[in-house]
Amino acid sequence: MYSPKIKNTSTFARAFIFILLWFCAAGLVFAQKADVVLSIEDAVSLAKQNNLSIKTSQNVLKNLETKNKFSWNSISPTANISGSYTDDFENDSKSIGISGSVNIGLSTNLFTAINNAKLNYEKGVLSYDEAVRQVELSVRKAYYNILYEKENLELKKRSLETSRIQFQNNQEKFRNGIISELDAFTSQVNYESKKPDVESAEITLQNELASFKQLLGISQDVEISLTGSLDDVLKLKAVTRDSLPASGVPAPDVQAAEYDVRIAKNALLSDRFSAYAPSITGSYTYGKSKEIDGDDWSTTNRLSVGVAIPLDGYLPWSSKAVSIDGSKNDLDTAEKKLEDAKTSVAVKTENYLRKINQAVSQLSSLQSNVELAEKTYKMTLTAYNYGKTDLTSLQNANDAVLNAGVSLKSQANTLISTILDLEDLLGLKFGTLGK
């Protein structure tokens, strides 16, 4: 009596499970293609985790760390064990032997070798931090550039839409005999001519997004969208030398040059040790040997210590003396490069400050240009509708709105890019001056 209901229930259950599985599968597909919304800090975090150049720099730093950790290994003793078998055909005798030896060498270069490994590792840490900063700088610049390309595309689409509406209105006016066929055709050409510009902007945006994904180390299949707007940049104020935050350390370029000086000084000291300081060697050997037909073993038990004092360093034409002169020149070059780095940082800082403040002052006038262009277009459109102006004036007014908007966004992008360059130059945390 109840069997048909049981059968129907089973069928319904199978159908329900099938539908549930279908929705799960569809959800997985949707999840794979869902947009990933990134703030600028999210993008920086992703790049630090996935960027290949950062991972490569990590390997370089690990090598320097290992060399620094075991920089004392030049004094580590070397040991070996050897065995021998001898067959003297002339005297018809055979012998065997086994021996072991330990050797050690000690030179005054040990100090400079350890110090050199330490300095190179510390500079390697600085270079790694700078590599990470360069990736972050690239991410932030690319992020704002994508925002610019996106807004540039929107401005061009808006201009295209305005031209399309003008074209449609003029077609209607032509059919009603209000305007000439030439004006109707001109508006059509103006509309069609703007399509390639929009397509080009779309391609540029897609290319920027593809490069950005590569920089972040994420798959090209992931669809991403960015938060924020260049409108935030329009609120930035001028930056002066006095308003720059104080830093307890020199700029990264100056720090790197300072390490080069310290490394050059250490190299000069190492060459002097090699030319004038003594070195000590020691070895100990113990071994047993005997003739195969004999019963007695002979023993080798020997310790030797030697001291070598170099003298050719005092000869001005010797290779060691020449090496010392070369190291002196290298040190002088490193010191001059340090002074040049300090001067270069100061000059670049002033250049960036002037460029930033010029951009800030221009933003105000560019914003006014946008407002003026929009008002002019509205007034020209009204005049055109009443037959008080020609189509060319209306098209020029529309183009002026587009050009003013693009110029404003381009200047905003230039401003934030210059601020990022200044922060990178001074070693400031990114975003310090862009608040």
Side-chain angles (χ1 to χ4, degrees):
M1 177 176 179
Y2 292 100
S3 57
K5 291 184 179 180
I6 295 174
K7 183 177 180 180
N8 291 339
T9 302
S10 178
T11 303
F12 175 80
R14 287 197 298 269
F16 176 79
I17 293 173
F18 172 81
I19 293 173
L20 181 62
L21 291 175
W22 185 87
F23 273 108
C24 290
L28 289 175
V29 173
F30 177 77
Q32 291 175 351
K33 295 187 177 181
D35 286 351
V36 176
V37 180
L38 295 176
S39 67
I40 192 167
E41 299 302 332
D42 294 334
V44 169
S45 179
L46 271 176
K48 288 182 178 180
Q49 295 174 13
N50 303 324
N51 186 269
L52 292 180
S53 65
I54 290 181
K55 293 181 179 180
T56 302
S57 298
Q58 286 175 342
N59 291 334
V60 174
L61 183 59
K62 287 178 181 178
N63 291 337
L64 293 173
E65 184 181 14
T66 302
K67 290 179 181 180
N68 178 52
K69 185 177 180 180
F70 300 108
S71 57
W72 53 268
N73 59 10
S74 61
I75 62 170
S76 178
T78 59
N80 64 79
I81 297 177
S82 61
S84 64
Y85 167 78
T86 304
D87 191 343
D88 189 345
F89 297 108
E90 188 68 26
N91 299 316
D92 192 23
S93 64
K94 301 176 181 178
S95 62
I96 59 173
I98 184 171
S99 65
S101 63
V102 178
N103 300 278
I104 189 172
L106 179 63
S107 68
T108 48
N109 289 77
L110 174 62
F111 167 76
T112 55
I114 293 175
N115 195 42
N116 184 66
K118 176 177 176 291
L119 290 173
N120 279 301
Y121 171 66
E122 290 175 351
K123 186 182 178 183
V125 173
L126 181 66
S127 298
Y128 171 74
D129 291 340
E130 186 60 21
V132 174
R133 281 182 62 84
Q134 287 305 308
V135 170
E136 181 174 354
L137 175 65
S138 298
V139 169
R140 290 179 180 272
K141 281 189 171 184
Y143 192 96
Y144 285 111
N145 194 57
I146 290 173
L147 291 180
Y148 163 70
E149 294 296 346
K150 182 180 178 181
E151 296 189 25
N152 179 47
L153 175 60
E154 291 300 322
L155 289 171
K156 291 183 176 181
K157 283 183 175 181
R158 191 186 309 165
S159 178
L160 177 64
E161 178 63 15
T162 301
S163 296
R164 185 188 67 81
I165 294 173
Q166 289 176 0
F167 162 59
Q168 291 179 341
N169 291 339
N170 284 349
Q171 289 291 317
E172 183 67 22
K173 290 178 180 180
F174 169 67
R175 285 192 291 267
N176 295 331
I178 299 175
I179 63 173
S180 66
E181 182 181 1
L182 179 60
D183 279 354
F185 181 67
T186 301
S187 63
Q188 180 181 1
V189 172
N190 180 60
Y191 166 59
E192 296 293 341
S193 65
K194 290 186 176 181
K195 289 182 178 179
D197 199 23
V198 172
E199 292 174 356
S200 177
E202 288 177 336
I203 291 173
T204 300
L205 177 59
Q206 292 303 317
N207 290 341
E208 292 288 341
L209 285 170
S211 299
F212 189 61
K213 292 175 188 177
Q214 182 182 13
L215 187 61
L216 299 186
I218 61 178
S219 172
Q220 293 293 324
D221 296 333
V222 177
E223 296 294 333
I224 63 174
S225 59
L226 309 184
T227 62
S229 169
L230 286 176
D231 291 338
D232 300 331
V233 181
L234 303 180
K235 304 173 184 177
L236 296 179
K237 304 298 181 181
V239 181
T240 63
R241 166 67 77 170
D242 295 335
S243 66
L244 292 175
S247 177
V249 295
D253 288 348
V254 175
Q255 289 186 63
E258 288 176 343
Y259 270 107
D260 288 338
V261 170
R262 294 170 64 184
I263 290 172
K265 286 181 178 179
N266 188 72
L268 175 58
L269 181 61
S270 178
D271 285 340
R272 284 173 171 166
F273 279 153
S274 296
Y276 306 123
S279 59
I280 301 174
T281 58
S283 66
Y284 173 73
T285 304
Y286 183 86
K288 292 282 190 178
S289 63
K290 82 176 190 69
E291 294 185 358
I292 292 180
D293 295 335
D295 296 327
D296 298 329
W297 289 83
S298 60
T299 301
T300 300
N301 190 4
R302 182 172 64 249
L303 172 68
S304 64
V305 178
V307 178
I309 301 176
L311 299 177
D312 55 348
Y314 296 95
L315 304 176
W317 58 83
S318 67
S319 61
K320 291 184 178 180
V322 170
S323 180
I324 290 175
D325 288 339
S327 294
K328 288 180 179 179
N329 292 331
D330 292 340
L331 175 57
D332 184 65
T333 299
E335 290 174 339
K336 286 181 169 59
K337 287 184 176 180
L338 172 58
E339 292 303 315
D340 183 64
K342 292 178 180 179
T343 303
S344 179
V345 168
V347 171
K348 288 181 178 179
T349 298
E350 295 299 328
N351 290 343
Y352 284 140
L353 287 174
R354 283 190 288 268
K355 190 175 180 180
I356 289 169
N357 294 332
Q358 181 187 26
V360 170
S361 64
Q362 288 178 346
L363 283 178
S364 178
S365 62
L366 289 174
Q367 286 176 304
S368 298
N369 287 342
V370 171
E371 295 174 3
L372 177 61
E374 290 175 346
K375 290 180 180 179
T376 301
Y377 172 74
K378 291 178 181 178
M379 294 175 64
T380 305
L381 177 60
T382 301
Y384 177 76
N385 290 334
Y386 282 99
K388 301 298 183 180
T389 188
D390 57 13
L391 179 61
T392 301
S393 298
L394 181 61
Q395 291 172 348
N396 290 339
N398 182 29
D399 292 340
V401 173
L402 171 62
N403 293 333
V406 171
S407 296
L408 177 62
K409 298 302 183 180
S410 177
Q411 186 71 340
N413 188 36
T414 299
L415 171 59
I416 192 63
S417 178
T418 307
I419 289 176
L420 289 171
D421 284 332
L422 178 57
E423 290 173 337
D424 178 60
L425 175 69
L426 299 179
L428 300 175
K429 182 180 179 181
F430 289 113
T432 301
L433 304 177
K435 294 181 180 178

